[in-house]
C-alpha cells in the first residue's frame, strides 16, 4: 500500500474512529519506521459481553483494512484497496455464522439502501464497551429509511410511506386493525359476557347444573351453587400460552416465568374453550351425567359413521331407549333415553327379544341434520363443507380464528398484566348486565375488538412530554364509574416509545439448517 493509500486510510481513521486511536493513524501516515502497522487492525474499544470471548480474534469479523463503520466514506475505499461489496459480504457472512437471520425486504430496496441493509454494523455497533447492548437499536436508525420510503423502495411500498414518531398522526393506525377480522366464526363477546350467556329478558340461561360435572369446577365461582348462572370473564377463554405451566409452578413461580410464558395468548380451541357449553350431540341420552359428544372438525362422510356407531353402541349396551318404544314420556326415536336399571325396567331391546335395535337410515339422517344445525350456530356453509374440513387438517391451513391479531408488531401481555382487559378491549363488554334481546348484539365477529394506537401512545410517548390528563389520578374517584387510571392499576404512566419495543427488523430465513425450523432460528420475528 502506497503513501496515498496510507494517508487516505489515516484520514478516515482520524475522522471516524475515537481519539484514542488517532495517534496510530498519525503513525501510519508518517510511515513510522520499525513498525509494520499496516498489517494490523486497530481496536477501537472493548467488545460487548456476548462477543468478549473472541475479542483477540479480530480475523473472525475483520479483513485487513476493511472499515465496517456504516459512515465510512465509500469514495475513499478504492484509494485504500477496499472493495465495498466484498467488505459488506464478508461482514454479513461473519455475523450469519452465529446469527442466522433474514434480511429486511432487501429485494424491494434501491441499490443504495440494499447495501445499507447488508451492513450489520449500521445498527449493531461493535467496540462500544462491555455493557453496550448490541440489540438496543435507536429510533434514528429506523427513521433513516422510514421517515420517507420514497428513495428507499424500488416500487410503491405496501406500508405507510412516512413514520416519524409513535403518535397516530406520525405513525398511523395499526395496519392489522384496519384490515378487519379475518376470522369466520359467528360470535358475540357481549352475549357471552352476560350472566348465563343470554339477554336479561331471555329464558334458558346456561346454569352450572347443565355443565358436565367434570367441567363444572372450571366455571364455578366462589359462593355459587349448581342452580346459578354461568358467568364468564376474559380468562375463561383467553389464556397465556404458558398458563398451565404458570399454574403448576405455584409458590415456585418467578417473575422471569411470567415474562417468558405469559407474553402471547393461546389459540382458541373448541375442545378446551367451547365444548363445555357447545358439545356436539348426536341426540343420544347416556346413562352417565357426562353427555355423549361427537368430535369436532370431522368431515360429513366420517361423521355419519360416528353418529351411527354412537347410537348403536349406546343401545347395544343398554344406555339408551329402543327406537320402537313409543312411550309418550320418552324422547322421539333416535334421540334416546337411559334405561332405569335400578327399578328393573330397561327400555333397550336386546337381541334375544328378536327386535332390531340398530339405527335406521332415517334416524341417522335426522341426527346428521341435528349436528349440522349445531355447527351452523357458529360456522357458515363454506367452512363446514367436506372440502373445507379436510383442508383444515393441513399444517398450512388458515385458522378460522386468527392466532395473532397485530401481525406487524409485538405485544407483550405479561408486561401489561396489571392492566384491566377493558382498557384495550372495551368493545368486548356489554354496556350493562340488564341488556334486553333487542339491544344485545348476537354476532359481532367482523369487529376487531382491540383498541388502536391511541390506547398505547398515552404511556408510550417521548420522555419530555407531560402525562395526559386522562391518565392522571384525581384525589376522589369514588363517585364515578370506572376510569382509565383504575383500569391501568399500578402501572407507570410512562414507557419507552422506541421502535424496537414492538418491531423486529430481520425477516425469517429463506433457507435454514436441516431439521431446524425457521421459528427456532428467528424467535420473536413478526
Amino acid at each position: 500500500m502506497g503513501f496515498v493509500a496510507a494517508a487516505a486510510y489515516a484520514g478516515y481513521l482520524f475522522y471516524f474512529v475515537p481519539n484514542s486511536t488517532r495517534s496510530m493513524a498519525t503513525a501510519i501516515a508518517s510511515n513510522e519506521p520499525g513498525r509494520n502497522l499496516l498489517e494490523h487492525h486497530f481496536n477501537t474499544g472493548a467488545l460487548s459481553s456476548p462477543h468478549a470471548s473472541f475479542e483477540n480474534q479480530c480475523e473472525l469479523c475483520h479483513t485487513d483494512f476493511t472499515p465496517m463503520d456504516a459512515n465510512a466514506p465509500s469514495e475513499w475505499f478504492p484509494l485504500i484497496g477496499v472493495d465495498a461489496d466484498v467488505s459488506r459480504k464478508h461482514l454479513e457472512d461473519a455475523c450469519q455464522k452465529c446469527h442466522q437471520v433474514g434480511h429486511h425486504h432487501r429485494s424491494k430496496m434501491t441499490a443504495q439502501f440494499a447495501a445499507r441493509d447488508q451492513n450489520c454494523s449500521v445498527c449493531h455497533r461493535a467496540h462500544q464497551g462491555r455493557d453496550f447492548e448490541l440489540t438496543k437499536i435507536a429510533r434514528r436508525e429506523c427513521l433513516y429509511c422510514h421517515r420517507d420510503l420514497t428513495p428507499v423502495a424500488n416500487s410503491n411500498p405496501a406500508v405507510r410511506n412516512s413514520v416519524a414518531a409513535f403518535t397516530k398522526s406520525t405513525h398511523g393506525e395499526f395496519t392489522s386493525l384496519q384490515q378487519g377480522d379475518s376470522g369466520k366464526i359467528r360470535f358475540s363477546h357481549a352475549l357471552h359476557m352476560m350472566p348465563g350467556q343470554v339477554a336479561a329478558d331471555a329464558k334458558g340461561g346456561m346454569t352450572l347444573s347443565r355443565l358436565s360435572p367434570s367441567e363444572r369446577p372450571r366455571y364455578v365461582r366462589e359462593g355459587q351453587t349448581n342452580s346459578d348462572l354461568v358467568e364468564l370473564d376474559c380468562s375463561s377463554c383467553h389464556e397465556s400460552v404458558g398458563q398451565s405451566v404458570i399454574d403448576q409452578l405455584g409458590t415456585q413461580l418467578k417473575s422471569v416465568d411470567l415474562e417468558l410464558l405469559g407474553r402471547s395468548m393461546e389459540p382458541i380451541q373448541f375442545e378446551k374453550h367451547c365444548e363445555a357449553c357447545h358439545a356436539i350431540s348426536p341426540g343420544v341420552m347416556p346413562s352417565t351425567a357426562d353427555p355423549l359428544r361427537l368430535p369436532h372438525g370431522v368431515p360429513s362422510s366420517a361423521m355419519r359413521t360416528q353418529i351411527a356407531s354412537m347410537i348403536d353402541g349406546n343401545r347395544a349396551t343398554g344406555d339408551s331407549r329402543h327406537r320402537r318404544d313409543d312411550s309418550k314420556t320418552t324422547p322421539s326415536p333416535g334421540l334416546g333415553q337411559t334405561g332405569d336399571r335400578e327399578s328393573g325396567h330397561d327400555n333397550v331391546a336386546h337381541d334375544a327379544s328378536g327386535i332390531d335395535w340398530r339405527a335406521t337410515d332415517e334416524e341417522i339422517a335426522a341426527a346428521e341434520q341435528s349436528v349440522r344445525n349445531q355447527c351452523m350456530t357458529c360456522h357458515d356453509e363454506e367452512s363446514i363443507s367436506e372440502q373445507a374440513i379436510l383442508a383444515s387438517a393441513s399444517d398450512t391451513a388458515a385458522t378460522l380464528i386468527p392466532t395473532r391479531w397485530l401481525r406487524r408488531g409485538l405485544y407483550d401481555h405479561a408486561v401489561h398484566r396489571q392492566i384491566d382487559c377493558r382498557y384495550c378491549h372495551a368493545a368486548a363488554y356489554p354496556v350493562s348486565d340488564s341488556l334486553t334481546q333487542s339491544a344485545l348484539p348476537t354476532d359481532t365477529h367482523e369487529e376487531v375488538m382491540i383498541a388502536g394506537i391511541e390506547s398505547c401512545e398515552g404511556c408510550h410517548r417521548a420522555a419530555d412530554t407531560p402525562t395526559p390528563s386522562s391518565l392522571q389520578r384525581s384525589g376522589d374517584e369514588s363517585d364515578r364509574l370506572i376510569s382509565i387510571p383504575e383500569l391501568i392499576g399500578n402501572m407507570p404512566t410512562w414507557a419507552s416509545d422506541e421502535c424496537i419495543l414492538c418491531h423486529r427488523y430481520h425477516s425469517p430465513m429463506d433457507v435454514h439448517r436441516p431439521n431446524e425450523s425457521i421459528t427456532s432460528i428467528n424467535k420473536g420475528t413478526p
Side-chain angles (χ1 to χ4, degrees), residues 337-348:
Q337 178 174 312
T338 303
D340 185 0
R341 291 186 176 81
E342 292 185 2
S343 61
H345 298 91
D346 194 339
N347 291 324
V348 179

Side-chain angles (χ1 to χ4, degrees), residues 1-323:
M1 181 179 290
F3 176 79
V4 174
Y9 194 55
Y12 160 72
L13 291 174
F14 185 83
Y15 287 106
F16 291 97
V17 300
N19 292 333
S20 59
T21 62
R22 289 181 180 171
S23 59
M24 301 180 73
T26 303
I28 295 175
S30 62
N31 211 7
E32 180 179 333
R35 299 186 64 185
N36 190 11
L37 295 178
L38 293 178
E39 295 180 358
H40 297 277
H41 301 282
F42 300 103
N43 188 341
T44 59
L47 290 175
S48 60
S49 295
H51 294 163
S53 62
F54 50 82
E55 187 166 72
N56 295 323
Q57 296 175 278
C58 307
E59 69 279 1
L60 293 180
C61 299
H62 295 272
T63 55
D64 287 339
F65 297 101
T66 303
M68 299 168 68
D69 193 322
N71 296 314
S74 57
E75 63 272 14
W76 289 12
F77 288 176
L79 295 177
I80 56 176
V82 173
D83 186 322
D85 294 334
V86 173
S87 171
R88 287 191 302 271
K89 182 65 169 59
H90 172 79
L91 173 60
E92 185 178 42
D93 290 344
C95 296
Q96 288 276 359
K97 289 179 180 178
C98 295
H99 308 285
Q100 294 195 354
V101 295
H103 54 73
H104 188 68
H105 311 291
R106 190 179 301 168
S107 62
K108 300 178 181 179
M109 296 180 180
T110 58
Q112 174 189 351
F113 289 90
R116 182 179 176 86
D117 173 68
Q118 189 180 21
N119 190 343
C120 304
S121 66
V122 167
C123 297
H124 308 291
R125 301 182 184 278
H127 297 289
Q128 303 297 311
R130 285 287 186 267
D131 298 329
F132 185 76
E133 297 183 45
L134 286 168
T135 57
K136 191 174 183 179
I137 313 302
R139 178 192 296 152
R140 65 176 178 272
E141 304 298 348
C142 303
L143 296 187
Y144 187 89
C145 294
H146 282 276
R147 191 183 295 277
D148 182 10
L149 289 178
T150 304
V152 179
N154 54 27
S155 60
N156 291 330
V159 297
R160 184 182 172 96
N161 192 69
S162 176
V163 173
F166 188 67
T167 65
K168 191 167 187 176
S169 61
T170 58
H171 177 284
E173 185 56 275
F174 300 140
T175 303
S176 301
L177 302 186
Q178 296 175 324
Q179 297 173 346
D181 187 347
S182 60
K184 296 183 179 180
I185 302 296
R186 283 194 286 264
F187 188 82
S188 170
H189 276 89
L191 178 64
H192 282 77
M193 296 293 275
M194 293 286 288
Q197 294 71 63
V198 294
D201 59 344
K203 296 181 180 180
M206 179 64 69
T207 61
L208 291 167
S209 61
R210 294 173 58 186
L211 299 178
S212 165
S214 62
E215 292 168 324
R216 201 171 295 155
R218 179 182 176 186
Y219 296 96
V220 67
R221 298 194 176 192
E222 186 176 355
Q224 282 190 321
T225 64
N226 287 346
S227 60
D228 290 325
L229 295 173
V230 173
E231 296 184 35
L232 303 178
D233 56 25
C234 298
S235 63
S236 300
C237 301
H238 299 288
E239 301 176 299
S240 61
V241 171
Q243 189 62 50
S244 59
V245 178
I246 291 174
D247 293 339
Q248 293 171 9
L249 288 173
T251 57
Q252 301 299 314
L253 183 68
K254 306 296 183 183
S255 59
V256 67
D257 296 320
L258 290 174
E259 292 175 11
L260 294 176
L261 299 171
R263 291 180 176 179
S264 303
M265 303 306 289
E266 187 177 82
I268 298 298
Q269 302 174 16
F270 176 85
E271 293 77 11
K272 184 174 182 178
H273 303 115
C274 310
E275 193 172 36
C277 297
H278 300 282
I280 305 174
S281 170
V284 178
M285 185 181 296
S287 59
T288 62
D290 286 316
L292 294 172
R293 298 171 176 178
L294 289 165
H296 181 255
V298 176
S300 56
S301 56
M303 182 62 76
R304 179 177 177 82
T305 303
Q306 296 269 0
I307 290 172
S309 299
M310 188 167 287
I311 294 176
D312 288 350
N314 278 268
R315 287 176 177 170
T317 55
D319 285 337
S320 64
R321 60 175 282 266
H322 185 264
R323 61 182 168 81

Side-chain angles (χ1 to χ4, degrees), residues 324 350-356:
R324 296 184 181 177
H350 301 281
D351 287 340
S353 66
I355 300 177
D356 183 7

Side-chain angles (χ1 to χ4, degrees), residues 263-428:
R263 291 180 176 179
S264 303
M265 303 306 289
E266 187 177 82
I268 298 298
Q269 302 174 16
F270 176 85
E271 293 77 11
K272 184 174 182 178
H273 303 115
C274 310
E275 193 172 36
C277 297
H278 300 282
I280 305 174
S281 170
V284 178
M285 185 181 296
S287 59
T288 62
D290 286 316
L292 294 172
R293 298 171 176 178
L294 289 165
H296 181 255
V298 176
S300 56
S301 56
M303 182 62 76
R304 179 177 177 82
T305 303
Q306 296 269 0
I307 290 172
S309 299
M310 188 167 287
I311 294 176
D312 288 350
N314 278 268
R315 287 176 177 170
T317 55
D319 285 337
S320 64
R321 60 175 282 266
H322 185 264
R323 61 182 168 81
R324 296 184 181 177
D325 185 344
D326 59 357
S327 170
K328 302 300 182 183
T329 60
T330 59
S332 58
L335 297 183
Q337 178 174 312
T338 303
D340 185 0
R341 291 186 176 81
E342 292 185 2
S343 61
H345 298 91
D346 194 339
N347 291 324
V348 179
H350 301 281
D351 287 340
S353 66
I355 300 177
D356 183 7
W357 43 260
R358 291 176 297 180
T360 65
D361 289 341
E362 291 78 9
E363 289 174 323
I364 296 174
E368 282 184 298
Q369 185 59 50
S370 175
V371 168
R372 186 175 183 82
N373 292 341
Q374 294 173 58
C375 296
M376 292 296 292
T377 302
C378 302
H379 297 281
D380 57 25
E381 290 279 359
E382 180 183 356
S383 62
I384 63 171
S385 66
E386 182 92 0
Q387 182 180 5
I389 294 176
L390 289 173
S392 67
S394 169
D395 292 337
T396 60
T399 58
L400 296 183
I401 301 178
T403 54
R404 279 191 59 219
W405 295 87
L406 300 178
R407 298 296 302 161
R408 295 181 181 272
L410 302 176
Y411 180 83
D412 193 331
H413 279 86
V415 171
H416 297 87
R417 60 185 176 273
Q418 294 185 48
I419 298 178
D420 193 295
C421 301
R422 284 169 291 186
Y423 182 71
C424 296
H425 307 288

